[in-house]
Short mmCIF file of all heavy atoms in Angstrom, two decimals:
data_model
loop_
_atom_site.label_atom_id
_atom_site.label_comp_id
_atom_site.label_asym_id
_atom_site.label_seq_id
_atom_site.Cartn_x
_atom_site.Cartn_y
_atom_site.Cartn_z
N ARG A 219 16.64 7.23 -29.46
CA ARG A 219 15.86 7.45 -30.65
C ARG A 219 14.89 8.62 -30.44
O ARG A 219 14.51 9.30 -31.37
CB ARG A 219 15.04 6.25 -31.03
CG ARG A 219 15.80 5.06 -31.52
CD ARG A 219 14.79 4.06 -32.09
NE ARG A 219 15.31 2.73 -32.14
CZ ARG A 219 14.60 1.69 -32.53
NH1 ARG A 219 13.30 1.88 -32.86
NH2 ARG A 219 15.13 0.45 -32.57
N PHE A 220 14.41 8.74 -29.19
CA PHE A 220 13.33 9.70 -28.87
C PHE A 220 13.88 10.89 -28.09
O PHE A 220 13.10 11.74 -27.65
CB PHE A 220 12.24 8.97 -28.11
CG PHE A 220 11.83 7.71 -28.76
CD1 PHE A 220 12.23 6.46 -28.19
CD2 PHE A 220 11.06 7.66 -29.90
CE1 PHE A 220 11.84 5.24 -28.80
CE2 PHE A 220 10.73 6.50 -30.55
CZ PHE A 220 11.13 5.26 -29.98
N GLY A 221 15.19 10.96 -27.84
CA GLY A 221 15.77 12.04 -27.08
C GLY A 221 15.52 11.94 -25.59
O GLY A 221 15.59 12.96 -24.89
N TYR A 222 15.19 10.74 -25.11
CA TYR A 222 14.90 10.61 -23.69
C TYR A 222 16.18 10.50 -22.85
O TYR A 222 17.21 9.95 -23.32
CB TYR A 222 14.09 9.29 -23.42
CG TYR A 222 12.71 9.33 -24.01
CD1 TYR A 222 12.05 8.12 -24.34
CD2 TYR A 222 12.00 10.52 -24.24
CE1 TYR A 222 10.82 8.08 -24.87
CE2 TYR A 222 10.72 10.46 -24.78
CZ TYR A 222 10.13 9.26 -25.09
OH TYR A 222 8.86 9.24 -25.62
N GLY A 223 16.13 10.98 -21.65
CA GLY A 223 17.20 10.71 -20.69
C GLY A 223 17.06 9.31 -20.07
O GLY A 223 15.96 8.81 -19.94
N VAL A 224 18.23 8.72 -19.76
CA VAL A 224 18.18 7.42 -19.10
C VAL A 224 18.85 7.56 -17.72
O VAL A 224 20.04 7.89 -17.64
CB VAL A 224 18.98 6.38 -19.93
CG1 VAL A 224 18.96 5.03 -19.20
CG2 VAL A 224 18.42 6.26 -21.32
N VAL A 225 18.06 7.35 -16.67
CA VAL A 225 18.59 7.56 -15.31
C VAL A 225 19.72 6.56 -15.06
O VAL A 225 19.62 5.37 -15.34
CB VAL A 225 17.45 7.38 -14.28
CG1 VAL A 225 17.98 7.38 -12.86
CG2 VAL A 225 16.41 8.46 -14.49
N ARG A 226 20.80 7.06 -14.50
CA ARG A 226 22.03 6.27 -14.30
C ARG A 226 22.28 5.86 -12.88
O ARG A 226 22.90 4.81 -12.63
CB ARG A 226 23.22 7.10 -14.81
CG ARG A 226 23.13 7.51 -16.27
CD ARG A 226 24.14 8.58 -16.63
NE ARG A 226 25.48 8.05 -16.84
CZ ARG A 226 25.94 7.68 -18.05
NH1 ARG A 226 25.18 7.75 -19.12
NH2 ARG A 226 27.20 7.22 -18.16
N ASP A 227 21.87 6.66 -11.94
CA ASP A 227 22.29 6.43 -10.52
C ASP A 227 21.34 5.49 -9.78
O ASP A 227 21.61 5.14 -8.64
CB ASP A 227 22.40 7.76 -9.81
CG ASP A 227 23.60 8.54 -10.30
OD1 ASP A 227 24.54 7.97 -10.74
OD2 ASP A 227 23.49 9.83 -10.26
N PHE A 228 20.23 5.14 -10.39
CA PHE A 228 19.31 4.16 -9.80
C PHE A 228 19.17 3.03 -10.81
O PHE A 228 18.87 3.23 -11.98
CB PHE A 228 17.97 4.80 -9.44
CG PHE A 228 18.11 5.93 -8.48
CD1 PHE A 228 18.31 7.23 -8.91
CD2 PHE A 228 18.13 5.67 -7.10
CE1 PHE A 228 18.53 8.27 -8.02
CE2 PHE A 228 18.31 6.71 -6.21
CZ PHE A 228 18.55 8.00 -6.64
N THR A 229 19.45 1.80 -10.33
CA THR A 229 19.65 0.68 -11.25
C THR A 229 18.76 -0.50 -10.94
O THR A 229 18.12 -0.57 -9.90
CB THR A 229 21.14 0.25 -11.18
OG1 THR A 229 21.36 -0.34 -9.86
CG2 THR A 229 22.08 1.42 -11.41
N GLY A 230 18.85 -1.51 -11.79
CA GLY A 230 18.36 -2.81 -11.40
C GLY A 230 19.34 -3.46 -10.44
O GLY A 230 20.45 -3.02 -10.24
N HIS A 231 18.94 -4.62 -9.88
CA HIS A 231 19.74 -5.21 -8.83
C HIS A 231 19.46 -6.72 -8.70
O HIS A 231 18.39 -7.22 -9.10
CB HIS A 231 19.39 -4.51 -7.49
CG HIS A 231 17.94 -4.52 -7.17
ND1 HIS A 231 17.27 -5.52 -6.49
CD2 HIS A 231 16.96 -3.59 -7.46
CE1 HIS A 231 16.00 -5.25 -6.39
NE2 HIS A 231 15.77 -4.07 -6.92
N GLY A 232 20.45 -7.38 -8.16
CA GLY A 232 20.26 -8.78 -7.77
C GLY A 232 19.21 -8.88 -6.69
O GLY A 232 19.10 -7.95 -5.84
N ILE A 233 18.46 -9.94 -6.74
CA ILE A 233 17.39 -10.14 -5.75
C ILE A 233 17.19 -11.61 -5.48
O ILE A 233 17.29 -12.43 -6.45
CB ILE A 233 16.07 -9.46 -6.21
CG1 ILE A 233 14.95 -9.58 -5.15
CG2 ILE A 233 15.61 -10.01 -7.56
CD1 ILE A 233 13.73 -8.76 -5.46
N ASN A 234 16.92 -12.01 -4.28
CA ASN A 234 16.73 -13.40 -3.94
C ASN A 234 16.23 -13.47 -2.49
O ASN A 234 15.14 -12.92 -2.22
CB ASN A 234 18.07 -14.17 -4.13
CG ASN A 234 19.31 -13.42 -3.74
OD1 ASN A 234 19.48 -13.09 -2.54
ND2 ASN A 234 20.15 -13.07 -4.67
N THR A 235 17.01 -14.08 -1.57
CA THR A 235 16.68 -13.94 -0.17
C THR A 235 16.95 -12.53 0.29
O THR A 235 16.41 -12.08 1.34
CB THR A 235 17.47 -14.92 0.70
OG1 THR A 235 18.88 -14.71 0.45
CG2 THR A 235 17.14 -16.36 0.32
N SER A 236 17.76 -11.82 -0.46
CA SER A 236 18.11 -10.41 -0.21
C SER A 236 17.29 -9.54 -1.14
O SER A 236 17.14 -9.83 -2.31
CB SER A 236 19.59 -10.17 -0.43
OG SER A 236 19.91 -8.80 -0.33
N PHE A 237 16.79 -8.43 -0.60
CA PHE A 237 16.05 -7.41 -1.43
C PHE A 237 17.01 -6.84 -2.45
O PHE A 237 16.61 -6.73 -3.65
CB PHE A 237 15.49 -6.35 -0.47
CG PHE A 237 14.46 -5.43 -1.09
CD1 PHE A 237 13.78 -4.53 -0.27
CD2 PHE A 237 14.12 -5.42 -2.41
CE1 PHE A 237 12.84 -3.69 -0.77
CE2 PHE A 237 13.14 -4.62 -2.93
CZ PHE A 237 12.50 -3.72 -2.09
N HIS A 238 18.22 -6.51 -2.08
CA HIS A 238 19.24 -5.98 -3.00
C HIS A 238 20.52 -6.71 -2.71
O HIS A 238 21.18 -6.47 -1.68
CB HIS A 238 19.46 -4.50 -2.83
CG HIS A 238 18.20 -3.71 -3.10
ND1 HIS A 238 17.25 -3.40 -2.17
CD2 HIS A 238 17.77 -3.10 -4.24
CE1 HIS A 238 16.29 -2.67 -2.70
NE2 HIS A 238 16.57 -2.49 -3.96
N SER A 239 20.94 -7.61 -3.61
CA SER A 239 22.04 -8.53 -3.28
C SER A 239 23.41 -7.90 -3.43
O SER A 239 24.37 -8.40 -2.91
CB SER A 239 21.97 -9.74 -4.20
OG SER A 239 22.37 -9.37 -5.52
N GLY A 240 23.52 -6.79 -4.17
CA GLY A 240 24.82 -6.20 -4.44
C GLY A 240 25.14 -6.18 -5.94
O GLY A 240 25.96 -5.43 -6.40
N LEU A 241 24.53 -7.10 -6.67
CA LEU A 241 24.65 -7.12 -8.13
C LEU A 241 24.00 -5.89 -8.71
O LEU A 241 22.83 -5.59 -8.34
CB LEU A 241 24.02 -8.36 -8.71
CG LEU A 241 24.01 -8.45 -10.26
CD1 LEU A 241 25.41 -8.62 -10.82
CD2 LEU A 241 23.11 -9.60 -10.71
N ILE A 242 24.69 -5.13 -9.57
CA ILE A 242 24.16 -3.93 -10.15
C ILE A 242 23.82 -4.17 -11.64
O ILE A 242 24.61 -4.77 -12.37
CB ILE A 242 25.13 -2.77 -10.03
CG1 ILE A 242 25.29 -2.39 -8.52
CG2 ILE A 242 24.68 -1.53 -10.79
CD1 ILE A 242 26.37 -1.39 -8.26
N VAL A 243 22.64 -3.72 -12.06
CA VAL A 243 22.21 -3.90 -13.44
C VAL A 243 21.95 -2.51 -13.97
O VAL A 243 20.83 -1.91 -13.83
CB VAL A 243 20.90 -4.72 -13.51
CG1 VAL A 243 20.51 -4.95 -14.99
CG2 VAL A 243 21.07 -6.08 -12.82
N PRO A 244 22.95 -1.84 -14.63
CA PRO A 244 22.75 -0.53 -15.12
C PRO A 244 21.84 -0.47 -16.34
O PRO A 244 21.76 -1.40 -17.11
CB PRO A 244 24.17 -0.06 -15.50
CG PRO A 244 24.91 -1.35 -15.77
CD PRO A 244 24.29 -2.38 -14.89
N HIS A 245 21.17 0.63 -16.50
CA HIS A 245 20.21 0.81 -17.62
C HIS A 245 20.80 1.67 -18.73
O HIS A 245 20.13 1.98 -19.72
CB HIS A 245 18.92 1.38 -17.13
CG HIS A 245 18.28 0.55 -16.08
ND1 HIS A 245 17.99 1.05 -14.83
CD2 HIS A 245 17.94 -0.76 -16.07
CE1 HIS A 245 17.45 0.10 -14.11
NE2 HIS A 245 17.39 -0.99 -14.82
#
Side-chain angles (χ1 to χ4, degrees):
R219 292 191 201 175
F220 312 105
Y222 295 154
V224 181
V225 173
R226 301 166 79 92
D227 292 331
F228 299 90
T229 68
H231 53 89
I233 183 170
N234 39 65
T235 57
S236 172
F237 194 172
H238 298 88
S239 72
L241 175 68
I242 294 172
V243 183
H245 302 122

